[in-house]
Amino acid sequence: MAVAPPSVRVWWNEPIARTELVWMVIAFLWGVIMFFTMIFWHVFGEQNLSNETYKINPETYVAKVDAMVEQYTVREEEGFPVVRPPPGSDVYLLARAFQFYPLLELEKGKAYRMHLSSADVQHGFSLQPVNINISVHPGYDHVFTVTPTTLGEHGIVCNEYCGLGHHTMIGKIYVTEQEGAGS
Ligand SMILES: [Cu+2]
């Protein structure tokens, strides 16, 4: 609140100073440029995923994960199932305190419908070393199409602080040659 009332009560009808007008136009044009840059970068920057998001309750999501694990587990690693779902199928990855479940094995050059959700709190999915980062929220099923291009073992780390065991929260995606194309 001002101590004294302004000398010109209806100040908003005063003419705009030239410099101020110039800056307003610059700010507006910059806003327009940034707007189109966003769209351009989404398409050509290869950083943002064209994902879809659906509401889902965590129990329903966990049930889908368990069904996939039951059907496509090929081996175990330190008590964790390694799941190899068929190319083209829906792949469910679950983030929960403090693990990514299960371990996945995908074929190079094949497309998968990847689902990502959390059973408890917010986590971060960070695929290394390619550095793809996605926020993982409980109650939301993030769906995107992935086609692995690099053979080998890829680490997933949680990059959203989620509790005391956060630093131990890691996962793994193996990318292998296509079946029938040699080992
Ligand atoms: Cu975490």
Side-chain angles (χ1 to χ4, degrees):
M1 216 194 217
V3 177
S7 54
V8 186
R9 301 277 323 184
V10 189
W11 53 267
W12 55 87
N13 279 344
E14 294 297 302
I16 301 168
R18 209 181 132 75
T19 16
E20 193 167 6
L21 194 64
V22 168
W23 280 111
M24 281 164 69
V25 169
I26 291 173
F28 175 76
L29 289 179
W30 186 244
V32 170
I33 290 169
M34 292 300 279
F35 176 78
F36 285 104
T37 304
M38 250 180 353
I39 298 165
F40 172 83
W41 201 244
H42 177 83
V43 178
F44 297 101
E46 294 182 341
Q47 292 203 354
N48 298 316
L49 299 160
S50 297
N51 64 319
E52 303 153 36
T53 306
Y54 303 96
K55 276 196 165 180
I56 190 166
N57 74 57
E59 296 80 48
T60 312
Y61 189 82
V62 171
K64 287 180 180 223
V65 175
D66 288 339
M68 178 196 71
V69 169
E70 186 144 324
Q71 200 173 0
Y72 299 118
T73 296
V74 286
R75 61 176 188 278
E76 289 210 345
E77 256 177 44
E78 294 166 19
F80 278 90
V82 179
V83 176
R84 189 185 173 94
S89 70
D90 287 277
V91 180
Y92 296 91
L93 183 62
L94 175 69
R96 63 184 169 200
F98 300 99
Q99 57 182 230
F100 286 97
Y101 180 89
L103 305 183
L104 296 170
E105 191 170 273
L106 307 177
E107 286 179 31
K108 183 186 169 187
K110 298 279 184 171
Y112 296 83
R113 286 275 288 174
M114 191 84 183
H115 296 249
L116 196 55
S117 191
S118 164
D120 36 49
V121 295
Q122 185 179 346
H123 296 283
F125 170 98
S126 182
L127 186 67
Q128 299 298 332
V130 276
N131 202 23
I132 291 172
N133 299 285
I134 306 161
S135 277
V136 191
H137 302 266
Y140 291 93
D141 182 3
H142 304 274
V143 192
F144 43 93
T145 304
V146 284
T147 307
T149 54
T150 319
L151 288 172
E153 191 183 312
H154 302 269
I156 306 165
V157 296
C158 177
N159 61 357
E160 188 82 52
Y161 183 74
C162 54
L164 286 179
H166 166 64
H167 61 289
T168 65
M169 186 165 166
I170 50 174
K172 233 185 253 179
I173 297 177
Y174 291 103
V175 177
T176 62
E177 286 290 357
Q178 288 177 24
E179 224 149 56
S183 83

